[in-house]
Amino acid sequence: MPNAKLRNYLHLHFLVFIAGFTAILGELISISAVPLVWFRMGMATILMFIYIKIAGVKLKINGKSILRLSLAGIIIALHWITFFASIKAANVSIALAMFSTGAFFASIIEPVFYKRKVIPYEIIFGLLVILGVFLITKGEIKYLKGILLGISSAFFSSLFAVLNGVFLKKHSATVISFYEFISGVLFISIFILCFEGGFSTDFFKLSASDFGYLFILASVCTAYAFIASVNVMKLISPYTVVLTYNLEPIYGIIIALFLFPEKEKMSPMFYYGAILIISTVLLNGLLKNKDAIKRRRVF
């Protein structure tokens, strides 16, 4: 058992590394954010469907649940679009630093959905996150568009995560993901048809490198990573998984600095802000774990 748990911990960190590498692929893929996410969700849906057939997962759910999952699918599509658009407008470091503000949004959204009181230290942490964003904006004002897109991405990500927490009480993670991916593809398809002139032959003309990167993004970074993250929870608590995923921006920024040293070189103010935000997120997670342990002891 100890060896199995250690393997799962190592696997978990590998998954977080993959999550950080997602942003790198967003930089490497030459197409814009909207078609990028359309291809990602489309490919991932096909791969997920193959997995569902092999694993014998039942997809039948009621219409009300499909409608709710469809809404969540649109939200995750908006999260990914704004995330990759942030990378295109700024760079990987900006997008990932802003993505870390998701914990601040979650502290606001969770009390609404779970009908709990706001924890006092969450307000303090929220102010620290705002200060971190201010420092980054002050040091990198030229990337203001990317910063705003990154913050939007963090908001959509937090909203999506809270909604999925509610859905997991009734449906399996695989079923949730499958319906969300389908609705995301349909939503983006309607957007392309209405606002971007529709699909053309040029839309499907991908370079060999773009196709390769997109396939890695859809298979390894989406379908595989999602299924694997669910499996590691068999031996590792969901809290530990969530806390470890907070390291994603650190992994991603370090990888980006090695691969794109010129584009990712930022001002000292950026790093002060990024360290403040990421440290606050990690401390928030540690305190929540401490509170959870206390509650278990009480009951």
Side-chain angles (χ1 to χ4, degrees):
M1 182 65 73
N3 287 335
K5 197 165 187 178
L6 176 61
R7 284 197 300 271
N8 274 269
Y9 273 117
L10 294 174
H11 192 191
L12 175 59
H13 278 277
F14 176 64
L15 292 172
V16 177
F17 175 84
I18 288 174
F21 196 72
T22 297
I24 305 300
L25 291 171
E27 177 67 40
L28 292 170
I29 296 169
S30 64
I31 59 177
S32 62
V34 173
L36 190 161
V37 178
W38 187 88
F39 280 110
R40 177 186 188 177
M41 296 191 84
M43 290 179 176
T45 300
I46 294 170
L47 293 169
M48 188 72 73
F49 183 72
I50 293 171
Y51 167 79
I52 286 168
K53 286 297 181 183
I54 293 172
V57 177
K58 294 181 180 180
L59 289 173
K60 189 175 180 180
I61 58 175
N62 61 54
K64 193 174 182 180
S65 293
I66 290 176
L67 187 62
R68 288 174 176 172
L69 293 176
S70 296
L71 176 60
I74 292 171
I75 292 170
I76 191 64
L78 290 171
H79 156 58
W80 279 336
I81 288 170
T82 49
F83 178 72
F84 289 115
S86 176
I87 294 173
K88 303 295 183 183
N91 57 27
V92 172
S93 296
I94 288 288
L96 287 174
M98 293 302 101
F99 178 72
S100 299
T101 64
F104 164 63
F105 289 116
S107 69
I108 299 172
I109 298 169
E110 278 186 11
V112 177
F113 280 86
Y114 293 101
K115 296 179 180 179
R116 68 165 174 82
K117 293 180 180 179
V118 175
I119 303 171
Y121 65 71
E122 288 182 338
I123 297 172
I124 298 172
F125 287 164
L127 293 173
L128 290 173
V129 168
I130 292 171
L131 176 59
V133 172
F134 172 77
L135 292 174
I136 291 173
T137 304
K138 187 176 179 181
E140 303 294 344
I141 191 65
K142 64 180 179 292
Y143 292 133
L144 181 59
K145 182 180 178 182
I147 289 170
L148 294 175
L149 284 166
I151 292 172
S152 300
S153 174
F155 170 75
F156 287 127
S157 175
S158 299
L159 181 57
F160 168 74
V162 172
L163 286 173
N164 263 10
V166 176
F167 297 150
L168 280 168
K169 295 176 181 179
K170 293 184 178 181
H171 309 291
S172 72
T174 305
V175 170
I176 290 170
S177 182
F178 180 72
Y179 282 107
E180 286 173 346
F181 284 2
I182 288 178
S183 64
V185 173
L186 290 174
F187 167 72
I188 300 172
S189 297
I190 293 170
F191 178 84
I192 291 171
L193 289 169
C194 295
F195 300 103
E196 297 204 345
F199 294 93
S200 64
T201 53
D202 289 336
F203 181 90
F204 296 98
K205 285 182 180 178
L206 298 172
S207 66
S209 60
D210 276 350
F211 181 82
Y213 291 139
L214 279 166
F215 186 77
I216 294 171
L217 181 63
S219 57
V220 178
C221 299
T222 306
Y224 160 73
F226 183 85
I227 294 168
S229 66
V230 174
N231 287 332
V232 297
M233 287 186 190
K234 293 176 181 178
L235 287 174
I236 300 175
S237 70
Y239 167 79
T240 301
V241 173
V242 172
L243 181 61
T244 307
Y245 263 93
N246 287 327
L247 297 173
E248 175 187 342
I250 299 175
Y251 287 160
I253 290 172
I254 291 173
I255 298 168
L257 283 170
F258 275 104
L259 295 180
F260 317 112
E262 292 301 319
K263 189 173 183 181
E264 297 297 326
K265 189 176 181 181
M266 312 294 284
S267 68
M269 202 69 77
F270 167 83
Y271 294 106
Y272 297 150
I275 290 170
L276 179 59
I277 293 170
I278 294 170
S279 299
T280 301
V281 169
L282 291 173
L283 183 57
N284 176 56
L286 290 170
L287 287 175
K288 277 190 168 58
N289 184 48
K290 190 176 180 180
D291 291 342
I293 291 172
K294 284 182 179 178
R295 285 195 297 271
R296 284 198 294 270
R297 284 175 179 172
V298 171
F299 293 102

